Amino acid sequence: MLHTPDAFVALIDAPEPAPAATEILAFVFHRGRLLLHTPQLRLPTAAEVAVLGIAVGVDRAQPVGLWQGRYCQTVWTDEESLPADSPLAWHGMRALFNAVDDALLGLASRAAQLAEWARTHRHCGVCATPMQRTRGERCFTCAACGMLAYPRISPAMMVLIRKGEQVLLAMHKHSPSQRFSPLAGFLEAGESIEEAVHREVMEEVGLRVHNLQYFMSQSWPFPHSLMIAFTADYLDGEIRLDDNEIAEARWFGPGDAWPEASSSVSISALLVRAHRPPAA
């Protein structure tokens, strides 16, 4: 599952004195893709990135933390081109699922969100003044108007609806995987998570549910979500699809041909697996 690895130590500020560039592991992102050595799929050092000639100024680098005794930082670049003989290449985050170990994937998830936060807060959203990092805090500050910008986290609910031995799975029209999964949706301003579950279920499939039970949560870097998963019991109603969001939704139970599972690193897969009938 996508999670922070054990023995990782998060850092708000870079260590002092700064480690040598040859000792710093660098997460470098361009439009959500990560720069890695190929075919080993390992992180480059800051020194290896420096020789590429792409603009990844030190002022852009954000501390991630200490992993396996080495300092890690994250940075974004607007430049995609790499030297023809470069041993490094860009890799989409989803393409790394089950291709790299869970520890690296979990750190890459954190690093991607920090890099996106830095990229999208170069200037104040109120007065357009260049933002400055606040030492000792994960925050950008505007020296002109005092506006503060912390890393954005967008909470989203996920719910697996149970009806006896059956569960409801849906194919979301905008899902990159185009696979059946539990219902999911972002919270709206002023909502509790529970209110969002009831609203999304009614909007997407026209059902009412009750007996909500918390399952677990997971950070999801696309680009900065926090997935909060529940189970709920069917109360009443007939399936009525939101044609803008849902392509198909139906009940799956014992004896049914179940759809292909989503990526094993996602909370969606764990939620379905925990409630799927054992194979005959």
Side-chain angles (χ1 to χ4, degrees):
M1 181 182 171
L2 200 61
H3 66 277
T4 303
D6 295 338
F8 167 74
V9 179
L11 294 178
I12 299 296
D13 298 314
E16 294 183 354
T22 54
E23 295 301 316
I24 298 174
L25 293 177
F27 291 89
V28 182
F29 292 93
H30 170 74
R31 295 186 178 180
R33 294 182 297 162
L34 177 62
L35 192 64
L36 294 173
H37 276 276
T38 56
Q40 307 97 326
L41 298 180
R42 65 174 177 83
L43 288 171
T45 66
E48 290 172 323
V49 173
V51 302
L52 296 177
I54 58 176
V56 286
V58 175
D59 59 320
R60 296 183 180 182
Q62 301 298 320
V64 178
L66 300 176
W67 180 45
Q68 297 178 344
R70 300 181 73 176
Y71 172 59
C72 305
Q73 65 183 26
T74 187
V75 68
W76 54 269
T77 178
D78 289 325
E79 297 183 30
E80 181 179 19
S81 61
L82 299 170
D85 59 349
S86 174
L88 302 169
W90 300 107
H91 298 266
M93 288 287 288
R94 293 182 188 274
L96 297 177
F97 291 176
N98 302 315
V100 300
D101 64 66
D102 289 347
L104 176 57
L105 194 59
L107 280 187
S109 168
R110 177 186 292 251
Q113 295 178 68
L114 293 175
E116 181 66 6
W117 165 63
R119 186 187 73 84
T120 56
H121 289 87
R122 286 173 276 182
H123 294 86
C124 175
V126 176
C127 68
T129 299
M131 298 288 275
Q132 303 294 325
R133 264 297 308 270
T134 306
R135 185 165 180 80
E137 193 171 6
R138 189 80 76 183
C139 177
F140 282 111
T141 302
C142 176
C145 72
M147 200 274 282
L148 304 178
Y150 295 90
R152 177 177 175 182
I153 300 173
S154 303
M157 73 85 206
M158 176 175 289
V159 62
L160 186 71
I161 304 171
R162 303 177 297 195
K163 184 180 182 183
E165 294 186 296
Q166 298 178 308
V167 299
L168 184 78
L169 298 177
M171 184 178 293
H172 293 72
K173 286 188 174 181
H174 307 296
S175 168
S177 66
Q178 288 298 293
R179 293 174 177 167
F180 281 91
S181 66
L183 298 177
F186 286 101
L187 273 67
E188 294 185 354
E191 275 189 324
S192 69
I193 302 171
E194 293 81 1
E195 288 170 337
V197 171
H198 289 290
R199 175 184 54 78
E200 287 282 356
V201 170
M202 177 56 68
E203 289 178 356
E204 294 191 346
V205 293
L207 303 179
R208 290 202 305 158
V209 296
H210 64 157
N211 296 336
L212 271 62
Q213 296 290 323
Y214 172 74
F215 180 71
M216 65 187 303
S217 65
Q218 180 184 43
S219 178
W220 194 243
F222 300 103
H224 37 58
S225 300
L226 175 64
M227 303 300 299
I228 306 159
F230 292 83
T231 60
D233 292 331
Y234 167 82
L235 183 59
D236 59 37
E238 297 295 329
I239 294 176
R240 172 180 46 77
L241 301 184
D242 177 351
D243 293 333
N244 294 320
E245 296 287 338
I246 306 297
E248 185 180 357
R250 52 193 171 97
W251 298 102
F252 292 88
D256 292 329
W258 281 62
E260 181 183 0
S262 58
S263 170
S264 62
V265 305
S266 72
I267 194 172
S268 173
L270 296 179
L271 181 58
V272 173
R273 189 183 307 142
H275 297 87
R276 183 169 178 164

